[in-house]
Amino acid sequence: MTVFAKIVAGELPCNKIYEDEYILAFHDINPDYKVHALVIPKSGHLEGIQDAQMSDKELLGHLMSKIPLIAEKLGVDKTGYRVVTNNGPDSHQEVPHIHFHILGGESLRGL
Ligand code: AMP
């Protein structure tokens, strides 16, 4: 069971920003930026974006469509933010449960 599955199950606490039936957003425990939040589907059936199937389009579309609301709750909707998902070893993905980082609260280096 991943740490994110434990958070969804209520076995680990999180600093929650937003929750609905399908997704959960919470502050990253080890922030790399002034604002660093994570958005996850509650279902842990996708380790990363490479696992996404057409049958996941509603779930992933729902998650993406809620990011502006979550950004508003974080106070970065006007200043801007970056959405990142790490996939696999070269990206240093640590948690094999698909998740999207929302980064901001400061000027980010250009990619
Ligand atoms: P990634 O490297 O893309 O897999 O990102 C995983 C992220 O999860 C890292 O930024 C960690 O700091 C974060 N993280 C790990 N455990 C927890 C936790 N219990 N609560 C909140 N964030 C966590």
Side-chain angles (χ1 to χ4, degrees):
M1 201 174 187
T2 69
V3 291
F4 294 170
K6 287 181 182 170
I7 288 172
V8 170
E11 292 173 17
L12 276 180
C14 73
N15 190 354
K16 192 189 300 179
I17 302 156
Y18 173 84
E19 180 176 19
D20 64 28
E21 190 179 346
Y22 305 106
I23 67 167
L24 179 63
F26 49 94
H27 292 275
D28 196 291
I29 204 167
N30 187 19
D32 289 313
Y33 298 90
K34 287 185 181 155
V35 169
H36 188 167
L38 301 170
V39 190
I40 67 169
K42 287 185 171 177
S43 166
H45 72 288
L46 302 174
E47 287 195 7
I49 201 80
Q50 71 280 357
D51 299 323
Q53 305 294 318
M54 283 307 284
S55 53
D56 298 306
K57 67 183 179 183
E58 281 189 30
L59 174 63
L60 294 175
H62 175 79
L63 186 153
M64 281 295 160
S65 74
K66 291 295 177 187
I67 285 179
L69 172 66
I70 296 162
E72 198 179 322
K73 289 178 180 289
L74 289 164
V76 297
D77 54 312
K78 303 279 192 302
T79 50
Y81 53 92
R82 183 173 289 157
V83 180
V84 173
T85 184
N86 290 321
N87 290 278
D90 275 1
S91 74
H92 300 282
Q93 180 181 6
E94 289 170 18
V95 182
H97 177 138
I98 193 171
H99 54 281
F100 297 83
H101 298 252
I102 299 178
L103 310 172
E106 59 189 286
S107 182
L108 304 173
R109 276 182 55 197
L111 292 176

